[in-house]
Amino acid sequence: MLKYVVLLSLTCILLTDLIPALRELGIALDKLANLLDKLKDLLEAILKIFK
């Protein structure tokens, strides 16, 4: 029983440390997705010029 309590405690501590990092990762991935979307629009505009 003590093993499960220790395991649960360690899991809670690990999640507490990981949540801010995962939030930052989500923000970074959102910015990357926006940048790629703008790049796609730019490439489409360039292709329209050369058609």
Side-chain angles (χ1 to χ4, degrees):
M1 182 66 182
L2 180 63
K3 180 172 70 173
Y4 294 114
V5 172
V6 171
L7 186 62
L8 181 62
S9 298
L10 289 175
T11 303
C12 290
I13 291 169
L14 183 62
L15 285 176
T16 303
D17 289 340
L18 279 179
I19 287 172
L22 291 174
R23 188 176 298 124
E24 290 295 321
L25 178 63
I27 292 169
L29 288 174
D30 187 48
K31 288 180 181 178
L32 178 62
N34 288 338
L35 181 65
L36 290 174
D37 193 43
K38 288 178 183 177
L39 180 61
K40 177 189 69 95
D41 293 341
L42 178 64
L43 288 174
E44 286 175 351
I46 290 172
L47 286 175
K48 283 181 184 176
I49 292 172
F50 288 110
K51 277 190 171 182

